[in-house]
Amino acid sequence: MKSLILSALLTLFAAPVLACETFTLGDLNIEHAWSRATIGADRPGVFYVEITNNGSTDDALIGIATPAAGMPMLHETVVTDGIASMPHAMSIPVPAGQTVELAPGGYHGMLMGLTTTLAEGDSFPVTLSFQNAGEVVVNVEVLSLRAEGPDCDDAN
Amino acid sequence: MRLTRLQKILWAAAGLATLAYGLLVLLPNRASEAVPQAAFRPTFTLPDAEGRVRTPAEFAGQHLLVFFGFTNCPDVCPTTLSEVAQVMDDLGDDAALVQPLFISIDPERDRRLGLAEFTAAFHPSIIGLAGDEAQTRAAADSFRIFYAREGDAAAPDGYTMSHSPALYLIGPEGDWLRQFTYGTPATDILADLQPRL
Ligand SMILES: [Cu+2]
């Protein structure tokens, strides 16, 4: 039990900074951009982010691009009748007044054809393309392979 | 009709007694319904990363945490393996009583990409198993789980895998104890596991 509390405390204090950066594009707020460390570059990497639409018009994330991967794509993990699969997501809706999360077990950027190993502590840029708002480049922090998300003070 | 205070107390006592009797009669029945009639003992015969064939027999006396997955799976699989790793860390001295197993449902590619380095990156205690197609199908059938290869021109090597992402707990006699659905937090798994050890 003691070690449980200790590890929980350590997780709280080991707050990385970069993944907590906020990017703005018009009415869109983009934060918590992170990825998981990979073992080599032969297996796909992953990209997660949180997008808040503060405007009154619906938008949608329609694509991602990054120098870190030759073939980045938007995917959605779906668990149907206890079976997990991850079909492509043509676009990810970002409705007016709502927050959409690309997070483990749901929407994610699938970084196929990695150009390099993603090591913990590294960062790389990802360009997000939105149907209405246009494009924005965000910095993505590579967290540990075991990470489930960044620990930001503002995370709620 | 007006009841005296004593009558009210007696009626209340009678009501409580009826309720208590009902619970005594019903609860044990419920509990026995939850226990399977005959023990379900899923099995496998699969080589580990070094090619040594592993079966449930050698893990007798230990609890097994079994996960079926593939290493080209950056979203779902790391979540479960991270939880397993956290559970093993938090078990402390009791970790020796629990053996986590990662059974590859994409064994050929996983062996080529490196099974041991994948499992070790999450936790050194995790044993990765990758057999041939027949051995893998036999293990999955025995655990009554589903997996399939799906053609996908955009995916690496032109295919991806769909699979049951749950984590399975096997008891020290090889009995199926329960499954943890995908996304069960490590603390919940630990809380379930610790009293069993
Ligand atoms: Cu994916």
Side-chain angles (χ1 to χ4, degrees), chain A residues 75 77 86 108 110, chain B residues 74-75:
Chain A
H75 275 186
T77 292
M86 45 176 193
H108 56 277
M110 185 92 162
Chain B
D75 182 47

Side-chain angles (χ1 to χ4, degrees), chain A residues 36 43-44 48 77 82 84 105 146, chain B residues 71-72 74-75 82 89 114 163 182:
Chain A
R36 280 193 184 114
R43 300 182 182 91
Y48 299 117
T77 292
R146 282 171 57 173
Chain B
T71 76
N72 246 14
D75 182 47
S82 299
D89 281 348
H163 65 111
Y182 169 72

